[in-house]
Amino acid sequence: MKKNSKDWRNTVMPAVFTWLKESESGALEIDLDTTKKYAANILKAQGKGGTRMGGLVGSGTLGENSYLSSEQRLSLLKALSSVAQEYKVPLISGAAAKTKEELYKIVTELATVGVDTVMVMPPKTKEAPCDNEMYAYFALAAAAAKEAGITIMPYNNPDAAGYHALSTALLTKLAALPEVTALKISTIDVSVIETMMLDNKNLKVLAGVDTVTVHAGLAGACGGITGVGCVFPKASITMQEYVNNGEWAEANKISQAMNSISYLDAQPLLLEYLKFAFGVHHNDADGGLRTLGKKLTQQQIDDVRTRYIKAKERLEILDLID
């Protein structure tokens, strides 16, 4: 196991944006230097209790993953690996494939550029495979990870997969694989977390939606992966600190303060919304609009700006703006 990837209890990790710039031809290309700078800034942030982010998630949904070529992803992750190494945290990246053989190749490639743990999405198929086929898919990813000396994180995201969520029985079985660092659960229904924790209190589960951080903690999640934390890292880390300490009222104050912007993390256009909010936060509205994703309407832009301002004002009162 590499770095801190063996135990991520009581931590929150940012799913960082991939910053883009215009090339001489006018096309958008990855701005590696700016991406690294902002990732480092987020990892420098501390909560009120003095803790920091416990990992770095690159080339995920918020990192334009679905729009990048394989070559671009590997180049991006190699650059982010240097940042993760500097701050001594594991580098995590996502992987999605149609077949387990294709997934095996992706996991192997990601290991060559410094990725410590691969978030493995369910197969990109129109119909959900049966549990036996699904298990074989993740098990082969685990085998690839073992050979490469890294770990995997099964990623239960029914919205992204396009079909029903993985069953709790399957998730529990996957969690028993030695190469599985944690399970990532991206759903607003946290009852699945509690159901699994009741069966095995030693499971490591990370919440994947910002709106449920506190409720997921109550259900037994050991941490989370955050998008909003890229915009407000001090607030995100401090909220997790309160969750870790069982100070639910204090954690809930922060959750309520961020509700207006956390809502965006659970929307289909979360990449476009949160990236624009990040740009506004850094006085770079144009930069926030540079995305390979969908172009926002003026109404959407105004809504995101309003939600960002409301969250910022509330967090300022709590002294949680960096």
Side-chain angles (χ1 to χ4, degrees):
M1 302 292 180
K2 295 185 179 181
K3 305 192 195 85
N4 303 339
S5 59
K6 191 173 182 179
D7 191 356
W8 287 340
R9 294 185 188 279
N10 307 324
T11 190
V12 62
M13 295 177 280
V16 296
F17 303 103
T18 298
W19 223 242
L20 304 172
K21 62 182 178 180
E22 289 187 11
S23 64
E24 292 182 1
S25 66
L28 291 178
E29 62 182 19
I30 298 176
D31 186 338
L32 292 176
D33 289 338
T34 303
T35 300
K36 289 169 61 179
K37 182 185 77 172
Y38 281 129
N41 286 342
I42 295 168
L43 293 181
K44 289 176 186 175
Q46 295 185 34
K48 284 189 173 182
T51 62
R52 294 182 175 177
M53 297 286 187
L56 179 64
V57 181
S59 189
T61 301
L62 293 179
E64 313 266 347
N65 183 290
S66 60
Y67 300 105
L68 301 178
S69 67
S70 177
E71 182 180 355
Q72 287 174 316
R73 289 190 199 100
L74 294 176
S75 174
L76 169 65
L77 290 164
K78 185 175 182 179
L80 287 175
S81 177
S82 65
V83 179
Q85 289 176 18
E86 179 182 354
Y87 289 90
K88 296 180 175 59
V89 297
L91 176 64
I92 302 98
S93 183
K98 291 182 179 179
T99 66
K100 61 180 183 291
E101 291 79 13
E102 181 185 354
L103 177 63
Y104 185 98
K105 180 181 177 182
I106 293 173
V107 172
T108 302
E109 286 179 340
L110 290 176
T112 66
V113 292
V115 172
D116 298 287
T117 295
V118 181
M119 292 188 301
V120 181
M121 287 283 295
K124 295 192 296 183
T125 53
K126 291 184 179 180
E127 296 182 3
C130 68
D131 275 10
N132 286 339
E133 292 172 329
M134 192 77 82
Y135 181 80
Y137 173 86
F138 283 100
L140 191 59
K146 182 179 181 179
E147 290 178 11
I150 63 174
T151 59
I152 66 168
M153 182 193 303
Y155 185 3
N156 188 22
N157 189 333
D159 290 336
Y163 46 74
H164 65 72
L166 304 183
S167 68
T168 55
L170 175 59
L171 287 168
T172 301
K173 187 177 179 182
L174 292 175
L177 290 169
E179 297 75 32
V180 170
T181 302
L183 302 172
K184 181 183 177 185
I185 308 295
S186 288
T187 172
I188 59 174
D189 180 7
V190 299
S191 63
V192 63
I193 298 175
E194 189 157 35
T195 298
M196 290 189 295
M197 297 301 296
L198 287 172
D199 288 337
N200 183 353
K201 65 179 181 180
N202 294 317
L203 282 181
K204 286 180 282 186
V205 178
L206 297 176
V209 183
D210 279 301
T211 54
V212 301
T213 299
V214 178
H215 292 92
L218 280 165
C222 66
I225 293 177
T226 177
V228 173
C230 294
V231 185
F232 299 119
K234 183 178 179 180
S236 184
I237 299 169
T238 302
M239 179 166 59
Q240 186 63 47
E241 289 175 337
Y242 285 136
V243 169
N244 296 344
N245 294 330
E247 298 178 62
W248 305 111
E250 295 302 315
N252 201 44
K253 286 180 184 177
I254 301 175
S255 179
Q256 290 175 328
M258 293 198 293
N259 267 347
S260 62
I261 192 170
S262 294
Y263 164 85
L264 301 175
D265 188 54
Q267 304 306 308
L269 295 181
L270 73 161
L271 160 63
E272 293 84 350
Y273 290 158
L274 290 178
K275 197 169 191 183
F276 178 71
F278 185 89
V280 174
H281 188 64
H282 289 279
N283 298 313
D284 181 18
D286 290 334
L289 282 174
R290 290 194 190 102
T291 174
L292 298 171
K294 296 183 179 179
K295 182 177 177 60
L296 297 179
T297 66
Q298 189 59 50
Q299 182 178 356
Q300 289 170 326
I301 288 172
D302 292 341
D303 179 55
V304 172
R305 194 186 299 274
T306 298
R307 290 177 177 277
Y308 161 79
I309 292 173
K310 188 178 292 292
K312 182 172 181 288
E313 290 174 344
R314 290 169 174 169
L315 291 173
E316 284 175 337
I317 295 173
L318 298 175
D319 187 29
L320 287 172
I321 299 294
D322 295 299

